[in-house]
Structures are given as structure tokens and as C-alpha cells.
Amino acid sequence: MNFILFGPPGAGKGTQAKFIVDTYSIPQISTGDILRDAVKSKSPLGVKAKEIMNSGALVSDEVVLAIVEERLAKSDCDNGFVLDGFPRTLPQAEALKALLGKNSKKINCVISLDIADEVIVKRLSGRRTCSVCGAGYHLLADPPKTDGVCNKCSGTLVQRDDDCEATIRKRLQVYHEQTSPLKEYYENGGFLFHVDGTSSIQEIQTTIQSIVKSTNV
Ligand code: AP5
């Protein structure tokens, strides 16, 4: 099963991608995580991407497509994958379709997590991420057992550089201008499923399982 998790910043794409990974044993491909790793390691890609990401803008299609093409070529994607934060522009969506088509593959299911901007601004101020293993938390919706400490590896929890209010608002603007038109693109393909992103994390998981059953893939 090949998934796309679609939605604005903070909609819960990463959270649900982890659930899909655990439930369906397929890898998560998060372009945001790959770019953040590059920033952390100060690789040439990371140096280029850092300023763009911190401003809330999108990294170029060319750079992101090269990342995704390399990742999808790995053998762990043979039985499916979940794309998180990609595609984000029409050229990215068209390039993905062409890339998958070359290998007789296609996207089976696009899950759109729908949520209003003001909910996101409030929600993202409570996000914390483990600086060691990358596990995600929320101070109210999904708190760690011990304040500031990762449940899984005891690493320190940190706030993302782009989770300040001004950058969140810029990311939302970019989403509405460049990414949300993709909803129509996938709706026309007949495999876009809308999910209420304000439901609880567990309720969304149950909905995703029902959607997967209904697709018969
Ligand atoms: P990226 O890392 O993809 O960020 P994003 O799309 O802005 O999404 P987020 O990671 O902020 O949110 P999410 O939807 O995954 O939510 P999460 O599950 O963490 O991209 C970062 C940057 O990289 C971009 O701005 C861009 O510069 C660049 N980039 C990446 N991909 C690119 C591309 N394809 N093209 C060009 N540039 C690209 O949840 C958020 C919080 O809410 C967490 O604390 C979580 O615990 C909590 N939460 C989750 N679900 C719920 C719920 N149902 N109820 C309550 N709380 C919840």
C-alpha cells in the first residue's frame, strides 16, 4: 500500500505516519525529517536548506525530488511506503506520478488531515521532539512520562526552530498558496480521503484503518 499523508503543518502527518509504519510494516518517508537530518549534520544540502526551512518557505522542487527519488529506490519501499510532507507542489506531484509509473507503481491512498489554521498555531506551540531518536510528543495531547525526557531513549526533548508563531503563520501561508491545490489534484484521482484532524490521535488511527480496509489494496 502506497500512502500520502497530506495536510498543513502540524496537522498530525508525522504522528499518523508512525502509526502506519507500525501497523502496516512499511517505511515512512518524511522529506522534513530527511532535511532536518541534513541540517543537523551540516552537509552541503543541510547548509542550503537551513535558512529556507527556518523562514517557513519550501525547499526547491529539484532538491526535494532528488531526495525522494533516492529514498524510493531503496528495497524497503518495495512493499509500500508512507510519504509524509511530500508532495507539496504540483510539479512534485507530477514528478512522483512519473517516477512511480516507471516502476509500474502508483499511490493507492491519500489521507488529508483537515484542520483550521488557528488550531494549528495553538497546537504547534506544544510540540516537542526528541533530540536523539526524533520521537514526537505534545505537552497536552501526548505528553512524555517525565517532563522534557523522551519515553523511548531518555533523550532531551526540544522545540523545533520553525515552531515559533511567525514562522508557523508563514508555513501556513505557503501551504495555502502552494500545497492545498493538490487536494483537487488527488480528489480527481478518486483516492483522497478527508479525515478530521481535530479528532484525537487514537480516533484518527481507527479512521485510517477503516479507510485502508475500504480500499481493498
Ligand atoms: P515538515 O517537517 O514536513 O513540516 P510540516 O509539513 O510543516 O509538518 P509538521 O512536521 O510541522 O507537522 P505534522 O503534520 O507532521 O504534525 P505532527 O504529527 O508533528 O517540513 C518542514 C520544512 O521542510 C518545510 O517548511 C519546508 O521548508 C521543508 N520541506 C519539507 N518537505 C518539503 C517538500 N516536499 N518540498 C519543499 N520543502 C519541504 O503533530 C504536531 C503536534 O501535534 C505534535 O506535538 C503531535 O503530538 C500533536 N498532535 C498530532 N496529532 C494530534 C491530534 N489529533 N490532536 C492533538 N495533538 C496532536
Side-chain angles (χ1 to χ4, degrees):
M1 182 94 176
N2 302 328
F3 292 86
I4 292 176
L5 274 172
F6 186 84
K13 302 182 295 296
T15 303
Q16 297 303 333
K18 301 239 162 16
F19 167 72
I20 290 174
V21 167
D22 293 343
T23 308
Y24 302 104
S25 304
I26 53 175
Q28 171 191 12
I29 302 178
S30 160
T31 41
D33 285 349
I34 295 170
L35 288 164
R36 273 184 293 281
D37 283 346
V39 169
K40 211 167 157 185
S41 70
K42 298 193 169 90
S43 69
L45 166 65
V47 172
K48 243 199 269 176
K50 186 176 177 178
E51 212 174 306
I52 299 171
M53 292 171 77
N54 285 348
S55 75
L58 294 183
V59 174
S60 76
D61 288 341
E62 193 194 354
V63 165
V64 173
L65 284 167
I67 290 173
V68 172
E69 184 163 5
E70 190 186 333
R71 184 62 189 86
L72 282 176
K74 296 197 173 152
S75 60
D76 64 340
C77 296
D78 288 350
N79 295 321
F81 50 81
V82 51
L83 291 166
D84 159 15
F86 177 90
R88 266 170 139 104
T89 63
L90 199 54
Q92 289 181 17
E94 294 283 13
L96 174 66
K97 190 175 172 193
L99 180 65
L100 294 176
K102 272 199 268 176
N103 299 304
S104 308
K105 290 183 182 177
K106 61 178 184 169
I107 294 297
N108 310 110
C109 178
V110 181
I111 293 171
S112 172
L113 296 169
D114 300 334
I115 183 164
D117 288 6
E118 285 316 310
V119 181
I120 286 168
V121 175
K122 277 199 202 124
R123 183 187 277 186
L124 281 181
S125 64
R127 171 165 50 190
R128 297 293 180 272
T129 309
C130 176
S131 56
V132 179
C133 74
Y137 297 88
H138 191 273
L139 295 185
L140 301 175
D142 184 19
K145 287 186 189 123
T146 309
D147 246 11
V149 179
C150 178
N151 294 346
K152 292 177 185 152
C153 74
S154 301
T156 305
L157 303 186
V158 294
Q159 198 165 12
R160 257 170 55 173
D161 288 344
D162 58 352
D163 273 352
C164 65
E165 184 169 341
T167 311
I168 294 168
R169 291 198 184 276
K170 171 71 184 172
R171 286 158 62 202
L172 284 168
Q173 186 197 336
V174 169
Y175 169 78
H176 290 298
E177 287 169 3
Q178 300 189 49
T179 307
S180 70
L182 288 184
K183 270 194 225 177
E184 206 184 322
Y185 177 86
Y186 284 117
E187 212 134 34
N188 292 338
F191 44 85
L192 179 97
F193 298 87
H194 288 279
V195 175
D196 180 0
T198 62
S199 301
S200 73
I201 293 173
Q202 290 73 21
E203 281 167 338
I204 296 173
Q205 291 172 351
T206 306
T207 306
I208 290 175
Q209 283 179 303
S210 313
I211 290 171
V212 172
K213 273 195 194 135
S214 75
T215 61
N216 286 323
V217 175

